[in-house]
Amino acid sequence: MAISTTSVIHYTKEFSILKKILKEGGFKYKYCVEKVNTRGKKNYRFAIAMVSFCDIPLSEYKKHFYKKTKKNTLGYYGDYGIGLNYKWVSSQGLNPVIYIESNSVLSTSVRHSAERLLSNLSDDIINDENLYPFYTKNFKGLLERDNIKVDGYRFYDEREWRFVPTAKLLNNKPNILDAATYENNKDYFNEAIERQRLQFSVEDISYIIIKEEAELEELSKHLEETYPKKDFLRLMPKIITSKQIIDDF
């Protein structure tokens, strides 16, 4: 059994967002706050503009789909998704997240690099391509998501890939912010980059995931209105449902 997919997948919780992504042919950047714990019980926090994906095989990802009958919603990113092939991944410069053990020697090195960048967020630093500390996550730690807090959660199981745009791609808006600065004015910073997109084409799409077959007609109409006929016909066979994944994989 493969331990990775042949595509990376971007998941979302809303059907309307999936349709918007397909219509615009791109993913919106959004700042996300990350906290990384390092050796000596020290940590650093930052807000970074990004688009996130995963390469969990569909046979394994069914564990992450939300079921209302269960109290445990850990790992839930949504029942809707778009898979992009690795040719697109390579051409756009995505990279898997670097997972570190919080008590490792490497974690100290990563923290020092992050602190140097965060302490001097000038234009020169923001445009610096030495962004590896911001592609970093703990192997495991405290999960805080949707009012859920769970210690010892294995972030490593999420197999995240990430794209962090340079400031140039954001029309010279900052791609990295101090966490406190961002949290004091989230709407302002996200609105400043909301027009920028990580773009893809029809040829890049491996599959489209919807929640259930009842949504197929609406999605079909949306695709037909959005794309030329030849592209519409290419996309239709790539649609699968999260129910199919849960039941069949």
Side-chain angles (χ1 to χ4, degrees), residues 157-168:
D157 292 341
E158 297 180 348
R159 301 183 61 84
E160 182 183 349
W161 284 66
R162 186 177 291 178
F163 182 79
V164 179
T166 62
K168 183 177 180 180

Side-chain angles (χ1 to χ4, degrees), residues 1-245:
M1 181 182 294
I3 60 174
S4 300
T5 64
T6 57
S7 306
V8 297
I9 310 167
H10 178 83
Y11 285 95
T12 182
K13 298 178 183 179
E14 302 293 335
F15 188 29
S16 59
I17 296 176
L18 173 70
K19 291 190 295 181
K20 186 175 182 180
I21 292 171
L22 289 165
K23 183 174 182 178
E24 296 178 347
F27 302 100
K28 181 188 293 187
Y29 298 111
K30 185 177 180 180
Y31 291 99
C32 296
V33 175
E34 294 280 354
K35 175 182 176 182
V36 179
N37 294 312
T38 65
R39 201 174 189 185
K41 296 185 179 179
K42 296 180 180 179
N43 64 66
Y44 63 93
R45 295 176 70 247
F46 57 91
I48 186 163
M50 68 170 78
V51 183
S52 292
F53 303 82
C54 73
D55 72 348
I56 300 171
L58 295 182
S59 58
E60 293 297 316
Y61 199 85
K62 63 184 178 182
K63 299 175 184 177
H64 294 261
F65 282 117
Y66 174 71
K67 295 182 179 179
K68 291 183 179 179
T69 56
K70 292 186 176 181
K71 295 181 180 179
N72 189 347
T73 61
L74 300 185
Y76 171 56
Y77 287 101
D79 294 289
Y80 305 91
I82 301 176
L84 287 304
N85 60 48
Y86 273 115
K87 183 178 179 181
W88 177 82
V89 169
S90 178
S91 69
Q92 297 299 317
L94 277 71
N95 200 76
V97 166
I98 304 166
Y99 291 95
I100 61 171
E101 165 55 45
S102 60
N103 199 40
S104 68
V105 175
L106 177 61
S107 74
T108 302
S109 176
V110 171
R111 186 186 78 247
H112 288 165
S113 295
E115 287 173 346
R116 283 195 294 271
L117 293 175
L118 290 170
S119 66
N120 188 21
L121 289 179
S122 67
D123 290 341
D124 290 339
I125 295 296
I126 290 171
N127 283 291
D128 191 343
E129 294 184 357
N130 182 24
L131 296 174
Y132 81 92
F134 307 105
Y135 279 85
T136 301
K137 250 185 160 173
N138 284 126
F139 171 77
K140 66 178 180 179
L142 176 66
L143 171 73
E144 298 182 80
R145 186 182 299 151
D146 297 334
N147 298 317
I148 295 173
K149 290 187 178 183
V150 177
D151 201 11
Y153 178 78
R154 285 174 57 121
F155 296 104
Y156 182 75
D157 292 341
E158 297 180 348
R159 301 183 61 84
E160 182 183 349
W161 284 66
R162 186 177 291 178
F163 182 79
V164 179
T166 62
K168 183 177 180 180
L169 289 175
L170 297 177
N171 283 340
N172 294 318
K173 299 298 189 299
N175 54 356
I176 301 165
L177 294 164
D178 173 75
T181 300
Y182 169 69
E183 289 170 336
N184 285 334
N185 207 342
K186 292 182 181 180
D187 290 342
Y188 169 79
F189 288 110
N190 282 312
E191 287 172 5
I193 62 171
E194 68 178 1
R195 294 182 180 276
Q196 313 311 315
R197 297 289 186 273
L198 175 59
Q199 296 181 320
F200 59 85
S201 65
V202 170
E203 291 77 14
D204 302 318
I205 299 174
S206 301
Y207 36 79
I208 301 169
I209 301 171
I210 57 177
K211 186 174 182 179
E212 52 195 3
E213 287 186 9
E215 296 166 324
L216 182 57
E217 183 177 351
E218 183 176 345
L219 179 60
S220 174
K221 182 179 179 181
H222 178 72
L223 294 176
E224 191 172 20
E225 293 173 347
T226 301
Y227 296 102
K229 184 175 182 179
K230 66 175 184 177
D231 290 337
F232 165 72
L233 294 175
R234 290 175 65 184
L235 288 174
M236 286 302 295
K238 298 180 179 181
I239 301 172
I240 58 176
T241 70
S242 58
K243 186 177 185 304
Q244 280 178 288
I245 295 172

